[in-house]
Amino acid sequence: MLKYRSLWLVCGWLLVSLTVYLSLTPHPPEPMSFPNADKLEHGFAYASLSLWFCQIYLSSRQRGGVISALIAMGVVIEFLQGWGGVRFFEYADILANSTGVLLGFLLVLTKLGRVFVWIETVGQSVK
């Protein structure tokens, strides 16, 4: 069990809020500039969210909920972009978001899936 679970959750929800804001703002920053760079950004964002929350929610059922919720979030955001009149609905973005979610889940099965535990353990050994 994570000692700072509440802190991890608050930070995770701030990341979700940032993702929603950047997805819906008319002119988001563009840190990469090559064709379809936004697909890589989508994938990275959703992989990060999936990896983040799957470190907090450990059971298969909870992780399934995280994956489902993040995929649904990506789909809903795409529809909102299409309805907003400033941004565009793209099936490729939904695919990039969903691929990122699944990649984040796969990464949580590696040593990266224990980063929060490691951070908390290192914090304990420094005292």
Side-chain angles (χ1 to χ4, degrees):
M1 184 72 166
L2 293 170
K3 182 177 180 180
Y4 300 109
R5 184 175 190 274
S6 296
L7 176 64
W8 297 122
L9 281 170
V10 167
C11 291
W13 282 105
L14 288 172
L15 290 172
V16 167
S17 299
L18 178 63
T19 301
V20 170
Y21 170 76
L22 290 173
S23 297
L24 297 177
T25 190
H27 303 288
E30 296 180 26
M32 295 185 266
S33 59
F34 54 86
N36 295 312
D38 68 311
K39 306 307 177 256
L40 186 60
E41 294 165 356
H42 282 258
F44 178 77
Y46 281 81
S48 299
L49 291 173
S50 181
L51 177 61
W52 190 280
F53 283 102
C54 284
Q55 287 184 79
I56 299 168
Y57 297 105
L58 303 178
S59 75
S60 297
R61 182 180 175 125
Q62 290 173 325
R63 286 180 173 174
V66 166
I67 290 166
S68 298
L70 289 173
I71 290 173
M73 181 178 110
V75 171
V76 168
I77 285 174
E78 280 307 306
F79 276 100
L80 292 174
Q81 286 178 345
W83 294 332
V86 178
R87 307 276 300 266
F88 301 99
F89 176 95
E90 292 185 57
Y91 287 108
D93 286 350
I94 292 174
L95 180 61
N97 297 342
S98 300
T99 301
V101 171
L102 297 176
L103 177 61
F105 171 72
L106 291 175
L107 289 173
V108 87
L109 301 176
T110 70
K111 288 183 180 183
L112 286 175
R114 299 195 42 81
V115 169
F116 292 171
V117 171
W118 179 79
I119 290 170
E120 291 185 0
T121 303
V122 168
Q124 291 288 324
S125 65
V126 172
K127 292 181 182 182

